Amino acid sequence: MAKRMLSIVIPSYNEEGNVENTASVVTQIMKENGIPFEMVFVNDGSSDKTWDKLCELSRVNPNVVAVNFSRNFGKEAAIFAGLKTAKGDAVVLMDCDLQHPPQVIVEMYNIWKNNDVDVVEGRKKSRGKENGLYKAFSLWFYKLIGDSSGLDMRDASDFKLLDRTVVDSLNAMPERLTFFRAMSSWVGYKTEKVYFEVADRAEGESKWNVKSLIKYAINSITSFTSAPLHIVTVCGVITFLISLILGVHTLVNKILGNSAAGFSTVIILQLLTSSIIMFSLGIIGYYLAKIYEEIKKRPRFIIRSVMQNGREQNGEKDDV
Ligand code: UDP
Ligand code: MG
């Protein structure tokens, strides 16, 4: 069976300055290479004119499918809505700001088409213009996730081509709190890598700030690994060992008649153990909150409308 249509999913949040350019650049490259394609833009509740521009695009460019969320649900939700909507035999995820070079899509497509592979993963050659702290933090972050889940997450990105079978596997995963980058590795399948240079953002500003990045990191870690819960156990073992040593020390002091001394030890111990307990309770609380969120079984996103060829279509429901 010939491998055919490619869906390109593009989450877009306040990208009014980018959507038109991205659509025309991608269209041109796909046409030049004779790749049958559709572009699924997911407007993630933008507060600017992104949706108007997408509606206009869907009128003039038959390859554009525009999905409109009822509010901002975040990039993860936009990715999964795109995967639901995409009709292609393979799906590529890319950013709207052309930081993922569209030329690489052709490379991914050819690897997928000519070989027996299900996933073509884009890996960052260098991390673009990121500052040292950010780099160190992301290195640590991916190491934690990688070590605890056995996946190689360094230099991973959301820029990936997935075969239809992989997309179906992802669409069947029921969790509400998702971490696409890790989930798409977790499902397995035959994976090939391509390396790309992260380009500069075409227009506008990055949607991340320190707070949202920390939130994203904590969310991804807790959605994907229970390692922090094991830290609690390790802390317990360490404090138990310390208390054993100190217990013996106290007893010896008592027997030798020096027991009035050592008051400071008591205070330090008290502070240490209570902070470890608080910290541990916090971690457990975080996971409890996650379980609570999951069992509510709310949809990951709500689609307000879908436009194609200038007409409104029926949207996909998030109904796993
Ligand atoms: N994005 C989104 N919803 C959000 C934030 C971002 O759909 O709440 C999209 C955004 O439009 C872009 C992609 O996710 O296409 C990557 O965002 P950005 O360029 O801000 O992140 P960075 O490249 O700085 O990591
Ligand atoms: Mg970007």
Side-chain angles (χ1 to χ4, degrees):
M1 217 169 29
K3 288 174 172 175
R4 309 118 306 232
M5 196 177 80
L6 181 66
S7 297
I8 301 165
V9 170
I10 312 174
S12 317
Y13 175 54
N14 291 346
E15 302 280 8
E16 60 178 3
N18 282 321
V19 284
E20 281 162 314
N21 181 250
T22 303
S24 66
V25 170
V26 171
T27 304
Q28 200 197 342
I29 292 178
M30 292 302 122
K31 290 211 164 132
E32 271 170 12
N33 290 280
I35 301 174
F37 75 107
E38 63 168 1
M39 282 175 285
V40 181
F41 283 93
V42 183
N43 173 38
D44 185 12
S46 302
S47 52
D48 63 1
K49 295 224 177 325
T50 304
W51 179 242
D52 297 339
K53 298 238 154 127
L54 287 176
C55 287
E56 179 54 32
L57 267 178
S58 84
R59 262 188 287 279
V60 297
N61 188 337
N63 297 308
V64 169
V65 180
V67 177
N68 196 17
F69 275 0
S70 63
R71 66 168 169 87
N72 179 253
F73 282 95
K75 188 182 177 187
E76 286 287 317
I79 290 176
F80 278 85
L83 290 180
K84 275 265 152 89
T85 310
K87 303 228 162 34
D89 303 304
V91 179
V92 168
L93 271 304
M94 78 175 272
D95 283 359
C96 195
D97 53 11
L98 293 180
Q99 281 192 295
H100 298 156
Q103 200 64 52
V104 178
I105 297 178
V106 180
E107 204 181 319
M108 290 175 163
Y109 181 84
N110 287 334
I111 293 176
W112 167 73
K113 198 173 155 209
N114 303 325
N115 300 283
D116 179 30
V117 294
D118 308 303
V119 180
V120 187
E121 201 189 332
R123 292 211 159 218
K124 296 174 184 166
K125 236 187 243 166
S126 64
R127 302 194 58 98
K129 277 190 195 147
E130 288 169 356
N131 68 42
L133 193 70
Y134 184 91
K135 233 177 241 179
F137 180 73
S138 66
L139 214 71
W140 172 80
F141 168 68
Y142 287 120
K143 196 168 155 31
L144 176 67
I145 295 196
D147 286 354
S148 55
S149 58
L151 305 171
D152 180 12
M153 297 292 300
R154 276 165 307 132
D155 306 318
S157 70
D158 291 337
F159 192 29
K160 284 185 182 187
L161 180 145
L162 310 172
D163 187 84
R164 173 52 48 194
T165 47
V166 185
V167 175
D168 289 343
S169 301
L170 283 172
N171 282 342
M173 284 164 91
E175 61 243 66
R176 308 288 106 180
L177 303 157
T178 55
F179 180 32
F180 172 75
R181 216 167 283 190
M183 282 165 74
S184 53
S185 299
W186 181 89
V187 289
Y189 291 102
K190 255 189 104 182
T191 304
E192 209 39 76
K193 296 182 184 106
V194 295
Y195 289 86
F196 70 97
E197 204 69 66
V198 181
D200 287 341
R201 188 169 233 289
E203 271 297 316
E205 302 232 305
S206 171
K207 308 295 178 298
W208 296 103
N209 54 43
V210 174
K211 194 174 150 222
S212 66
L213 267 177
I214 292 176
K215 212 172 133 197
Y216 176 75
I218 294 180
N219 248 320
S220 313
I221 291 170
T222 50
S223 318
F224 212 77
T225 155
S226 50
L229 278 178
H230 305 313
I231 297 175
V232 175
T233 321
V234 173
C235 284
V237 172
I238 293 171
T239 37
F240 177 70
L241 289 179
I242 295 175
S243 67
L244 265 186
I245 298 164
L246 274 168
V248 172
H249 179 251
T250 316
L251 259 181
V252 171
N253 266 345
K254 173 96 183 148
I255 292 162
L256 296 178
N258 306 329
S259 56
F263 204 63
S264 35
T265 325
V266 175
I267 294 172
I268 292 169
L269 256 186
Q270 188 91 65
L271 287 174
L272 192 73
T273 42
S274 51
S275 54
I276 290 176
I277 290 170
M278 292 291 189
F279 182 67
S280 311
L281 276 177
I283 295 177
I284 293 167
Y286 208 87
Y287 278 90
L288 256 180
K290 293 258 144 178
I291 295 169
Y292 177 61
E293 298 251 311
E294 291 281 356
I295 61 166
K296 280 196 285 193
K297 288 231 177 292
R298 296 226 174 117
R300 285 173 282 199
F301 50 82
I302 298 170
I303 292 178
R304 189 156 167 262
S305 54
V306 180
M307 294 286 283
Q308 192 174 12
N309 295 316
R311 279 191 301 279
E312 198 155 318
Q313 316 278 321
N314 288 328
E316 291 289 324
K317 287 225 165 55
D318 182 30
D319 53 2
V320 233

